[in-house]
Amino acid sequence: MDVQVRRHRTVQNHDQENFYATKKVNLLIPSKRQGLSVRGALGEINTNVEIHREVNVGKGTNASAELEKKLMVKRGVRNYNHVQSKVDTGLNGKPIIQPSSRPPLRREESTAYAARAVIQTRAALKESQNDFAESANVFQQAKKIQETKKATKLPAKVSTKETRSLLKPILKDPSESLGKLKLVEEPTIQKEKIVEREVRPVPELPHDIEDIDANDKNSPLLMSIYIKDIYKYLTELEKKYPIETDHLKNQTEITGKMRATLIDWLVEVQRQFSLVLETFHLTVGIIDRYLQAVPNVQRNQLQLVGVTAMFIASKYEEIYAPDVGDFVYVTDNAYTKSDVFQCERDIMSKLGFCLARPIPLSFLRRFVKAAHGTSKNHHLAKYFVDLSLIEYSMAHYRPSELAAAALCLSLYLLSTKKLTDVWTATLSYYSGYKLEHIEPIMQKIAKIVINVENSKYQAIYNKYLDVTLAKVSSLPQLKGEVIHELINSF
């Protein structure tokens, strides 16, 4: 209803405008206020005079209009009917101007603008002259000030004899050095006692040990200066965060087979997301440390722990970590994002927010460099390490122990040397393990390799059938007599 009323009012207003525009109405313009003026086409119009004008163009109004003109002429009032469209506010949007009815201009009216222009130009010339005079005065005053400053700065003329007499006491001897002259007295500074720090000398290598970092001095990325200290620190960390021999003894529902099933499935997740091997190794370490610290983990929460551990490891190792929604998706939406976040907080708090425990891959690279191994040796050793991570009976070994045993087995199977010749003094020095220490670990790894085809955990075996990994899981040496002899020798 409100809209209709507003439309009706607008139509009425429109009709009123048409009414005033079309009908002939005698319109009397009220007198203007005194002191006001309206600018028209020929100049300012005095509005103190009351002007009555008719818009009606009928025949009956011609006589009255002529009488009005005569009266205005007698009074000395000029006629401005030809500019009525400019003065009139107008009821029509477009005022009607009749150029034919425009009377001829008088001389006074035609020259009004010219006279005013002349007056304005004369005033402008006077102002410019005044400004120029003022600027000239300012310039002269500034010049005088500069001259007085120069006069005060310049010293009085001194004769050459006086200058020589002034210079003589300063430079008595020509051989005197200017460095001995003290222009300002030096303040007395108390010398601080310099505390000498003990710098530990770098231990020299034995004569039969090769320096594997000698050729890396020109490469800052290899950190040859303190790489030995780094690996010494990593060995201290793996001792600080150990995995016990039977770390699932406090679990009532979780068993070693359930752990192996979880890790085997995480290998598939790693391949699906194209994650690096460091992420997988760190994931297994987080799972074992959490299961060791938290007793009585429920069976239906084990997969959530595994997914969350890989989510944490990917954020630690990957450049572009997968989204949490991706990990929820691979669990077939068995858990929600909030479940993963809550489990993440729980894991990190139980681990003391420390993920510094080293992984086997870090040690393996160092040992391969010390052995001058090939890429095939490296891939085969990684295959042995990954197989060991699934087995619950191998979880308590240190990462450096697994890396040393896996590399020694790889070098032994891919060469014709004896086992004592494969594990050289250099490898023993950089790994910190003798052959007698790693031989039992090698035997366990060999048993896992032989039985891998009969195992239900085939994810790692299928992973290392890839060409990029040299298909090391299908090598004939893994089924030969050498590996069987190694198993039976113990």
Side-chain angles (χ1 to χ4, degrees), residues 191-210:
K191 295 183 179 180
E192 298 179 356
K193 294 181 180 180
I194 300 173
V195 179
E196 296 182 358
R197 296 181 180 179
E198 295 181 359
V199 180
R200 296 180 181 178
V202 180
E204 295 182 359
L205 296 175
H207 65 280
D208 57 340
I209 303 300
E210 179 188 358

Side-chain angles (χ1 to χ4, degrees), residues 135-153:
S135 61
N137 293 331
V138 171
F139 178 75
Q140 290 177 358
Q141 291 177 0
K143 191 173 182 181
K144 289 179 180 179
I145 291 168
Q146 290 179 358
E147 289 177 354
T148 54
K149 287 182 178 180
K150 289 180 180 179
T152 55
K153 286 183 179 180

Side-chain angles (χ1 to χ4, degrees), residues 209-247:
I209 303 300
E210 179 188 358
D211 187 5
I212 60 176
D213 304 314
N215 297 327
D216 300 334
K217 294 181 180 179
N218 296 327
S219 180
L221 297 177
L222 296 178
M223 301 171 290
S224 62
I225 300 174
Y226 43 87
I227 190 66
K228 296 179 178 64
D229 295 330
I230 290 175
Y231 276 95
K232 183 180 179 181
Y233 175 67
L234 291 178
T235 55
E236 293 176 358
L237 285 178
E238 66 177 358
K239 294 177 182 178
K240 185 178 180 180
Y241 304 104
I243 302 297
E244 297 177 0
T245 304
D246 189 12
H247 67 280

